[in-house]
Amino acid sequence: MIGKRVRHIGRYHEIAASLLRHGFGMIVDELGFSSFLSLPPRWKAEQGKKEGKTVGERLRLVLEELGPTFVKLGQIASTRPDLIPAPIISELEKLQDQVPPFPFADVRRIVEAEFGSSLETLFRSFEEMPLAAASLGQVHRAVLPSGQAVAVKVQRPHIAARVETDLEILQDLAVLAERRLDWAASYRLSEIVDELAKSLRQELDYTIEARHAAAFAEQFAGDSLVYVPGVFWDYTTKTVLTMEYVEGIKLGEIERLKEEGYSLKALAERLTKTVLKQMFEHGFFHGDPHPGNVFVLSNGVLAFIDFGLMGRLRPNVRHHLSSLIIALMRQSTDGVLAAIYGLGLVPDEADEEKLRDDIDDLREKYYRVPLGEISLGEAVGDLLTVAFRHGIRIPSDLTLLGKALLTVEGVVEMLDPQFRIMDVAEPFGRKLLKDRLRPDRVAETAWRRVADYGEMLLRLPDSVKELAKIMRRGKLQLEMTASDLEAFLHKLDQISNRLSISIVLLSWSIVMAGMMIASSFGRQSMLLWKFPAVEIGLGVSAFLFGWLLYSIFRSGKF
């Protein structure tokens, strides 16, 4: 770790300076930057200068100032309302990914190095002016030797190395923060950074985006109203992505759509159905369906582009998500609570009563509100806010779903303010319920649970052996509160008293049986010192047994 700090000392300097400039001097001090950075006095004097800006605004300025890695991480973080407070989320959503393009000479060098041929050999034509430029790469229009028009995305030179440097620093700072700051430890900051870093590294590998596009195209192969541009694998690597060029009107160009005679209401309905189908039927959805990523083709077909940010809902998540939607429709607090427990990782210290109260408040918000007036994205967002308040970790794909729903609702409202997304979403919710109740689905779920229990039983002997080993080593730890201890001791008294009764009864039975057998063999009454031993023994045992029962019942610990 020390080696990394020395190797990246310049970048640490830039980060510390930016934090100080925007009023985060306390964090710089608490992280101990001064122990390995010599900051000029004029920088230290910047501590606390906030110029009336909120924490979210100042954080956004820091991220924009520190460049592409931090901007992308901020954009990814804006999809996680379960991890980050709402006021900061609203500022992170303003982060712009528009940056000046890099020189065409770099584009040529990168493409030719990737494919081992000159640009003129690879393409019939290649436009020098990019169609769009972002923090990680830029897109150029080109034509293949076959005459096919394509869009070529080229990664910025040296961006991968720079991103890796920044991620190493962030992961170092996250671990340092967890050691020094209580709030960082409670939020498991290093886990959050690791999760965001994983998403960013995936965006740097264009072959992953190409596979996403291919999978997306496959699930809409039979749908005539959705078009997905094809991938040209011979022209695609980790740093260069070549896809079919799409000619159309962006959904955000409302006036052009009107001029061309398109029905905005029909487009809004088509977009809604398409996105809900991705989410609830296929479980693989476009994570950023903003107006610039969806085109209307000449025949009214919707074409999706940019598959860098995709979400995947696994069957168990979809199962609990359907439960959540059904519970919301039925306004069932218990149902919503059960779905949240199924979806998220609930910490041991979570207060279930307070969680239930928050869900009740949420239910009241939507009580008797017409279904058509409910924002599905806002409802999911509200639930994620409740999850954040109680420290519940929600699958990242589910938070991305909430973000995508809000984006779609914004686009739909722009196209047709009278259109209500829940009018289309309700049939999907009912379909989810029907699918849950299908006999084959019920049988499949039941069989899966039987298999799980069977596997658990098969593992039981090994688990018992492991527990026995731990007990023999004296390493078994028991955590118990005072109330638990009192209940435990009460239960222990009950068990010991019942054992006492059992032992007395067993002893009495053995003695009496022995005496009776002996008496029967001798064909005469059993006498000890001229007294009838069996009869007396029975009487004494009965007395003792009665006295023991009376004592136990009187103690109330039977």
Side-chain angles (χ1 to χ4, degrees):
M1 191 173 292
I2 299 297
K4 289 179 183 178
R5 291 178 186 173
V6 173
R7 189 165 66 249
H8 306 317
I9 191 74
R11 189 58 170 157
Y12 274 100
H13 238 284
E14 292 175 11
I15 294 170
S18 182
L19 289 170
L20 286 168
R21 268 194 297 273
H22 296 286
F24 292 105
M26 185 180 295
I27 292 179
V28 173
D29 287 339
E30 289 179 338
L31 289 178
F33 272 64
S34 56
S35 64
F36 61 96
L37 293 177
S38 55
L39 299 175
R42 66 181 180 82
W43 282 4
K44 292 185 179 181
E46 296 291 330
Q47 296 186 38
K49 285 191 176 180
K50 302 177 184 178
E51 301 175 355
K53 293 184 174 65
T54 65
V55 173
E57 287 176 309
R58 290 184 284 121
L59 179 60
R60 174 174 56 80
L61 291 172
V62 169
L63 297 177
E64 288 175 343
E65 196 172 276
L66 290 176
T69 305
F70 291 84
V71 168
K72 291 301 295 185
L73 284 175
Q75 290 173 334
I76 296 169
S78 71
T79 67
R80 301 304 307 269
D82 61 318
L83 301 178
I84 298 169
I88 294 179
I89 288 283
S90 63
E91 285 297 323
L92 295 181
E93 289 174 338
K94 299 175 184 177
L95 285 168
Q96 297 298 313
D97 202 16
Q98 298 297 324
V99 294
F102 57 92
F104 183 70
D106 288 330
V107 174
R108 174 184 288 275
R109 178 178 54 79
I110 292 169
V111 173
E112 291 181 348
E114 286 296 309
F115 301 108
S117 297
S118 67
L119 207 62
E120 289 73 19
T121 303
L122 292 166
F123 300 94
R124 181 185 293 182
S125 65
F126 198 105
E127 295 182 6
E128 293 192 13
M129 184 64 66
L131 297 170
S135 54
L136 299 184
Q138 62 191 38
V139 180
H140 292 258
R141 189 181 188 279
V143 178
L144 296 177
S146 63
Q148 173 70 56
V150 292
V152 184
K153 183 190 285 189
V154 183
Q155 198 169 101
R156 285 185 175 271
H158 315 300
I159 189 66
R162 185 174 179 183
V163 166
E164 282 302 324
T165 296
D166 286 343
L167 291 180
E168 280 187 11
I169 292 172
L170 280 171
Q171 287 162 332
D172 175 27
L173 294 179
V175 172
L176 188 63
E178 286 184 337
R179 291 175 184 167
R180 293 172 175 261
L181 307 173
D182 291 338
W183 66 265
S186 63
Y187 280 111
R188 300 189 293 273
L189 190 59
S190 60
E191 291 183 21
I192 295 174
V193 170
D194 287 344
E195 193 172 319
L196 298 178
K198 180 182 177 183
S199 298
L200 184 50
R201 287 188 176 107
Q202 285 186 344
E203 284 200 50
L204 282 170
D205 186 348
Y206 287 169
T207 61
I208 293 177
E209 182 175 346
R211 289 198 295 272
H212 286 166
F216 196 79
E218 185 178 346
Q219 72 183 22
F220 283 104
D223 194 326
S224 60
L225 298 178
V226 177
Y227 186 79
V228 182
V231 177
F232 292 86
W233 288 100
D234 291 340
Y235 293 82
T236 296
T237 67
K238 282 190 174 185
T239 57
V240 178
L241 171 62
T242 303
M243 296 186 68
E244 183 181 352
Y245 181 77
V246 174
E247 284 277 7
I249 304 173
K250 293 179 181 179
L251 268 184
E253 298 178 292
I254 303 297
E255 294 305 318
R256 279 193 64 192
L257 291 171
K258 288 180 179 178
E259 289 172 7
E260 295 294 329
Y262 290 106
S263 166
L264 299 185
K265 180 180 178 63
L267 290 175
E269 184 174 354
R270 189 171 303 164
L271 175 67
T272 302
K273 286 183 177 179
T274 300
V275 171
L276 293 178
K277 186 176 181 180
Q278 295 169 36
M279 294 173 176
F280 300 122
E281 290 187 17
H282 299 296
F284 183 63
F285 61 93
H286 198 294
D288 193 18
H290 67 73
N293 282 340
V294 186
F295 286 78
V296 181
L297 304 185
S298 57
N299 52 1
V301 173
L302 296 181
F304 287 79
I305 65 168
D306 193 353
F307 301 94
L309 187 60
M310 303 293 290
R312 190 183 297 277
L313 298 179
R314 289 168 179 78
N316 65 316
V317 176
R318 266 189 285 169
H319 173 86
H320 293 299
L321 179 61
S322 64
S323 299
L324 179 61
I325 293 172
I326 292 163
L328 282 172
M329 289 169 62
R330 294 175 174 174
Q331 298 191 344
S332 165
T333 299
D334 289 334
V336 173
L337 193 61
I340 287 177
Y341 270 82
L343 283 168
L345 183 61
V346 183
D348 295 334
E349 62 272 13
D351 188 327
E352 187 170 330
E353 289 303 316
K354 287 185 179 179
L355 177 59
R356 182 180 290 275
D357 289 343
D358 283 345
I359 293 173
D360 275 332
D361 291 342
L362 192 60
R363 182 175 58 81
E364 288 298 321
K365 176 180 177 179
Y366 295 106
Y367 184 61
R368 289 182 179 174
V369 176
L371 197 61
E373 296 180 13
I374 293 176
S375 163
L376 187 57
E378 184 181 348
V380 174
D382 286 340
L383 283 168
L384 294 176
T385 302
V386 170
F388 169 80
R389 193 177 301 144
H390 294 273
I392 300 171
R393 295 291 296 273
I394 298 293
S396 58
D397 284 331
L398 187 59
T399 62
L400 183 60
L401 177 139
K403 177 80 170 178
L405 281 173
L406 281 173
T407 302
V408 169
E409 286 179 340
V411 176
V412 165
E413 186 176 359
M414 181 176 60
L415 289 169
D416 181 10
Q418 304 303 317
F419 185 81
R420 294 290 176 263
I421 196 169
M422 280 300 290
D423 292 339
V424 178
E426 185 183 7
F428 277 91
R430 298 193 185 283
K431 186 175 185 299
L432 286 173
L433 180 58
K434 288 179 182 177
D435 285 345
R436 288 270 299 275
L437 298 177
R438 270 173 30 206
D440 60 331
R441 186 65 58 84
V442 172
E444 180 185 347
T445 303
W447 175 250
R448 193 186 309 119
R449 289 184 178 176
V450 168
D452 289 342
Y453 288 135
E455 187 178 348
M456 184 175 66
L457 287 173
L458 288 174
R459 290 199 307 264
L460 186 59
D462 292 334
S463 300
V464 172
K465 286 180 184 177
E466 189 64 30
L467 180 61
K469 285 180 184 178
I470 294 172
M471 293 177 70
R472 281 199 299 270
R473 293 171 188 161
K475 294 183 178 179
L476 185 64
Q477 295 183 353
L478 206 60
E479 187 177 330
M480 194 174 291
T481 62
S483 58
D484 291 337
L485 183 61
E486 185 179 347
F488 177 72
L489 291 174
H490 181 82
K491 197 66 167 176
L492 200 60
D493 279 341
Q494 288 179 325
I495 293 170
S496 61
N497 286 331
R498 289 173 184 174
L499 280 173
S500 299
I501 293 174
S502 301
I503 292 169
V504 169
L505 286 173
L506 180 62
S507 303
W508 172 67
S509 301
I510 292 171
V511 171
M512 289 301 102
M515 294 180 73
M516 288 177 182
I517 291 169
S519 176
S520 64
F521 276 128
R523 299 179 182 276
Q524 59 182 2
S525 178
M526 190 71 173
L527 297 175
L528 289 175
W529 297 290
K530 299 182 180 180
F531 290 103
V534 172
E535 288 79 359
I536 292 173
L538 284 171
V540 171
S541 298
F543 171 76
L544 291 173
F545 180 62
W547 177 79
L548 182 61
L549 279 177
Y550 171 74
S551 300
I552 292 172
F553 279 117
R554 188 176 181 184
S555 70
K557 296 178 179 178
F558 182 70

